[in-house]
């Protein structure tokens, strides 16, 4: 690790190839954990570069547990977490709305990081099996246009650095790249990040990783989601161009609501919120989901504007398509468990 430590200490960015080599060393059990910790702190102090984000993601994805290759065009709307907002599971709820709008969603996620309940936790509470095999996940994705990929299962190599990250006790580059490591080859993507200073870098990284179109957002109070209590800052990535924008709920026909109105709870409470939104209950939870689903639909290119995306998201909920995606996922999980008995 020494040459890479020395380079970033000088304030120089690593190339993609250098970051790939450094990452393989981080995942090598023989590498000194102190060197890995120093490297991660050095990257944070310097500020993570596009080449470093890209190199890290390349190695994580090449070592992931892969699904069969002949999948349909797919997107993801996973955020980084880390914003400390304690909101309900916005992106997970939105994923069903996006799928209900006719877009295939490979939903990558994990257990809770900065909130009480992560996507894996809330889906478990709803009766979804988060430990499907790659073949089962593939079958569900083909059947339902949405499946969940549990990060701990698809990235076993990440365990090598878990203890080091825990010992450091501060966010590192690994806290930024979760949404980028989906093992499915994504065509489009919505990424929420908790660091507004990295919007452009994240957009450029998505382009490097081959996304044809993507949107990166950072919400009010530096949330990794769009919200109703202020402006959301974003970057549209299209054909290699990075186009910054800001959007408020009023711009797309939604009403202001305080951040406190979308706070979540434990897995059971958040599962209840998710289901009530998909069943059509009005209020700030629904409107927050409409905004985030609309941004994902816009990121996919199915909607030409975010306002058009809101209309498609409303249709997905009101016509029962989003709820049907959830019910199919639950039914599929139950069937797999019965077969395994």
């Amino acid at each position: 690790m020494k040459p890479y430590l020395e380079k970033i200490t000088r304030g120089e960015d690593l190339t993609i190839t250098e970051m790939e080599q450094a990452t393989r060393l981080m995942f090598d059990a023989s590498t000194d954990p102190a060197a890995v910790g120093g490297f991660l702190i050095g990257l944070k102090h310097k500020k993570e570069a596009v080449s470093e984000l890209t190199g890290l993601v390349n190695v994580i994805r090449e070592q992931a547990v892969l699904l069969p290759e002949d999948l349909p065009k797919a997107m993801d709307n996973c955020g980084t977490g880390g914003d400390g907002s304690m909101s309900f599971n916005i992106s997970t709820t939105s994923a069903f709305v996006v799928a209900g709008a006719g877009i295939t969603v490979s939903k990558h996620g994990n257990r809770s990081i900065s909130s009480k309940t992560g996507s894996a936790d809330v889906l478990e509470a709803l009766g979804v099996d988060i430990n499907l095999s790659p073949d089962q996940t593939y079958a569900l994705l083909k059947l339902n246009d949405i499946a969940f990929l549990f990060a701990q299962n698809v990235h076993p190599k990440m365990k090598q650095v878990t203890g080091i990250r825990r010992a450091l006790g501060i966010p590192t580059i690994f806290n930024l790249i979760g949404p980028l490591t989906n093992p499915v080859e994504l065509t489009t993507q919505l990424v929420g990040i908790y660091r507004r200073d990295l919007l452009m870098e994240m957009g450029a990284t998505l382009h490097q990783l081959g996304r044809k179109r993507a949107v990166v957002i950072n919400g009010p109070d530096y949330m990794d989601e769009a919200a109703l209590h202020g402006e959301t800052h974003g970057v549209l990535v299209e054909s290699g161009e990075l186009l910054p924008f800001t959007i408020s709920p009023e711009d797309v026909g939604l009403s202001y609501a305080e951040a406190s109105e979308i706070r979540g709870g434990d897995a059971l409470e958040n599962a209840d919120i998710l289901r009530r939104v998909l069943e059509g209950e009005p209020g700030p939870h629904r409107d927050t989901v409409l905004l985030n689903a609309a941004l994902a639909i816009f990121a996919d290119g199915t909607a030409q504007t975010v306002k058009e995306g809101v209309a498609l998201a409303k249709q997905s909920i009101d016509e029962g398509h989003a709820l049907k995606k959830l019910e199919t996922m639950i039914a599929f999980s139950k069937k797999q468990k019965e077969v395994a008995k």
Side-chain angles (χ1 to χ4, degrees):
M1 296 293 290
K2 186 178 178 181
Y4 310 118
L5 275 164
E6 289 176 343
K7 186 169 183 178
I8 62 174
T9 301
R10 293 194 299 268
E12 299 174 24
D13 297 336
L14 301 182
T15 66
I16 292 176
T17 300
E18 287 172 333
M19 189 63 190
E20 288 173 344
Q21 292 166 341
T23 301
R24 292 189 182 97
L25 286 171
M26 282 195 285
F27 290 159
D28 187 331
S30 65
T31 301
D32 183 356
V36 176
F39 179 70
L40 294 176
I41 292 171
L43 283 175
K44 183 180 179 69
H45 179 74
K46 177 184 69 65
K47 187 180 177 182
E48 302 86 350
V50 172
S51 55
E52 292 157 353
L53 291 163
T54 304
L56 176 59
V57 170
N58 284 345
V59 174
I60 291 173
R61 292 191 72 250
E62 79 180 14
Q63 297 184 358
V65 176
L66 299 179
L67 272 65
E69 293 181 359
D70 61 328
L71 285 167
K73 168 191 167 186
M75 81 168 304
D76 192 5
N77 69 329
C78 177
T80 59
D83 62 15
S85 66
M86 299 299 173
S87 58
F88 75 103
N89 296 94
I90 297 169
S91 66
T92 307
T93 312
S94 301
F96 291 104
V97 179
V98 175
I103 299 166
T104 300
V105 181
S106 171
K107 184 72 179 84
H108 187 244
N110 215 330
R111 296 202 181 275
S112 60
I113 298 173
S114 60
S115 60
K116 292 182 181 177
T117 307
S119 52
D121 305 303
V122 74
L123 289 172
E124 268 190 327
L126 287 160
V128 172
D129 185 352
I130 64 171
N131 294 304
L132 296 177
S133 70
D135 286 342
Q136 289 169 330
T137 303
Y138 169 81
L140 178 58
L141 199 55
K142 297 275 278 190
L143 168 73
N144 195 39
D145 294 325
I146 181 170
F148 180 69
L149 284 77
F150 187 22
Q152 291 182 24
N153 290 345
V154 297
H155 300 299
K157 283 280 188 177
M158 290 287 285
K159 292 177 183 176
Q160 187 61 40
V161 296
T162 298
I164 298 168
R165 294 173 62 195
R166 189 180 295 119
L168 288 175
I170 58 171
T172 68
I173 192 171
F174 282 101
N175 296 83
L176 296 170
I177 50 81
L180 308 180
T181 61
N182 195 316
V184 172
E185 290 290 345
L186 303 177
T187 308
T188 58
Q189 191 163 5
L190 172 69
V191 177
I193 63 173
Y194 66 93
R195 282 180 57 182
R196 194 169 296 168
D197 65 311
L198 284 175
L199 280 169
M200 296 296 282
E201 284 84 354
M202 187 65 76
T205 302
L206 286 163
H207 173 63
Q208 285 270 11
L209 294 171
R211 306 297 187 267
K212 290 185 169 52
R213 183 178 164 104
V215 168
V216 189
I217 57 170
N218 175 261
D221 297 330
Y222 300 94
M223 289 179 65
D224 73 327
E225 318 269 7
L228 306 173
H229 61 286
E231 283 189 333
T232 293
H233 296 250
V235 173
L236 170 64
V237 183
E238 186 170 30
S239 303
E241 287 192 79
L242 304 179
L243 306 171
F245 67 89
T246 58
I247 192 166
S248 298
E250 296 84 359
D251 297 335
V252 293
L254 298 172
S255 300
Y256 178 93
E258 295 288 349
S260 59
E261 297 183 72
I262 60 168
R263 291 245 167 84
D266 62 19
L268 288 174
E269 184 178 345
N270 283 8
D272 181 58
I273 293 170
L274 185 154
R275 183 174 281 281
R276 284 190 280 114
V277 168
L278 299 191
E279 288 173 348
E281 180 180 288
H285 292 121
R286 171 187 165 99
D287 285 356
T288 301
V289 168
L290 289 176
L291 179 56
N292 283 273
L295 283 160
I297 294 168
F298 172 65
D300 184 69
T302 299
Q304 296 306 303
T305 65
V306 179
K307 192 167 187 177
E308 182 186 336
V310 170
L312 292 173
K314 286 180 178 177
Q315 185 178 346
S316 174
I317 294 174
D318 294 342
E319 294 184 0
H321 303 307
L323 182 60
K324 186 178 180 182
K325 297 298 180 185
L326 171 63
E327 298 289 8
T328 300
M329 187 181 285
I330 294 169
F332 184 91
S333 295
K334 288 180 179 177
K335 184 177 179 180
Q336 300 307 312
K337 288 178 180 177
E338 289 170 2
V339 170
K341 286 182 180 177

